[in-house]
Every structure is written in structure tokens, then in C-alpha cells.
Amino acid sequence: MNNWGVGTRTCCSRMTRAIVTLAILCVPTAVSYADALPAPEGPVLLRIIGNLSLPNVGDELHLDKQTLNAFEAVSFSTHTVQSEGPQYFTGVRLSELFKAAGADPDSFVATGIDDFKFTVTGDDIRKYPVIVAYRQNGKDMSIRQLGPLRIVYPFDDFPELKTQKNEASAVWQLVELELQ
């Protein structure tokens, strides 16, 4: 109690609540899946087509760098067949991209810039933090570095994922996901 008979704890609790409330209101919100994402303003890096319910351009979902950066970033280090030593990747969980598209596919076809296609099936995408990476070792990936997007599995954290099928489905220079 202070000299006025008012408990300072109540005052601090009110002050703390006010600060926390203000902080929450000022922080940009995460991507909401109730509505379609806005159409991209920059160059489209990834098209999601097929069985989806939340398109933003015609019947497709187009994502640019700004939109991809609005998702919660996931990062991990792992070895890949294309690199020497562990690499640090940052990107968006594939499962979050599917939610943003209003989809829960049983399978999808990942297509690279060279028209390489691989059909991905199974629950690994839902169970593990498989990402569409846009950064490697803290830097945006160029086409020369197998970017600007690529599917990356956390092989080092989950050794059970290191199969020939998953290594083949880690499509680099990713440009399209066709949901089935």
C-alpha cells in the first residue's frame, strides 16, 4: 500500500495490461485464412493451382515475396544433396500455404522453373515442418542458388524423412504447386 491507500500492484497490473494491449494492437497480424490473400503487387514467385477455395487471381493463388514474408517464418539447419555441409534455410511451412489456399490436398505436383515435376503424397507435409524456403544461410536465394524458392525437408532434425522419395520431392527453383 502506498500513502493514499491504493495498492501499487493493481496500478501496475492495469498499466501492464494497457501496455500489452497496445503492443498487441500495434503488431502486424499474421496471415488470416478466412479470406483470400490480396493479389500480389510484385513479381509472382509461386502459383498455387488446382483444388483450392481461396484464390486471389482468377482461380489461382499467386504469391509474391511480400506475401510470402507475411507468413510466419520457419528456419532450420539441414544437409541437402545439393550442398556441402549443413545449410540454414528460412521459409514458409507448406501446410500453411495450403491453409492460405483453403485446401487440404492428399497430394500435389511441385513444378520447377525447368518444368521438372514431382508428385508429393503422404502426411509428411502435415506432420513435419517442411518448408518452401526463400532464404539460405540468411540470404535470399537466386536462380543460380536453386531459388528463389525451393522445397526443403528438415532431414537432420527428423532422420526418418531422409528417403529417396523425399530427396526427389525437394524441388528447387519452385514456381508452381498443383493441389490434387
Side-chain angles (χ1 to χ4, degrees):
M1 294 277 224
N2 61 22
N3 293 338
W4 300 283
V6 177
T8 56
R9 183 173 187 169
T10 303
C11 176
C12 290
S13 294
R14 286 182 192 152
M15 179 72 84
T16 302
R17 280 183 285 196
I19 291 170
V20 169
T21 301
L22 182 60
I24 290 171
L25 293 174
C26 291
V27 172
T29 58
V31 175
S32 169
Y33 307 124
D35 298 311
L37 296 173
E41 295 180 14
V44 174
L45 297 180
L46 182 64
R47 289 179 40 225
I48 301 178
I49 64 172
N51 189 16
L52 60 120
S53 62
L54 293 173
N56 64 356
V57 176
D59 59 353
E60 302 176 349
L61 181 62
H62 292 194
L63 302 171
D64 61 4
K65 185 176 180 178
Q66 179 181 347
T67 306
L68 287 167
N69 285 331
F71 285 90
E72 179 180 351
V74 174
S75 299
F76 53 79
S77 290
T78 195
H79 287 79
T80 68
V81 295
Q82 299 86 13
S83 306
E84 293 281 329
Q87 303 294 306
Y88 186 73
F89 293 98
T90 301
V92 180
R93 279 187 77 148
L94 267 169
S95 59
E96 289 300 307
L97 291 177
F98 296 156
K99 286 179 191 175
D104 187 21
D106 293 325
S107 65
F108 65 93
V109 178
T111 304
I113 199 167
D114 61 354
D115 210 31
F116 172 81
K117 295 179 187 296
F118 196 91
T119 301
V120 181
T121 59
D123 288 330
D124 288 348
I125 303 305
R126 291 180 191 91
K127 288 171 40 178
Y128 300 99
V130 179
I131 63 173
V132 171
Y134 48 78
R135 282 194 196 103
Q136 183 174 353
N137 298 323
K139 298 178 183 173
D140 289 345
M141 294 182 291
S142 68
I143 290 175
R144 206 172 247 281
Q145 299 165 315
L146 306 180
L149 302 176
R150 70 191 271 195
I151 296 174
V152 181
Y153 287 78
F155 293 128
D156 290 5
D157 293 334
F158 303 97
E160 64 270 25
L161 289 174
K162 193 159 179 67
T163 65
Q164 283 185 331
K165 177 185 153 262
N166 286 345
E167 286 178 345
S169 70
V171 175
W172 60 81
Q173 297 173 333
L174 180 69
V175 294
E176 182 179 273
L177 298 172
E178 180 180 357
L179 310 183
Q180 302 175 333

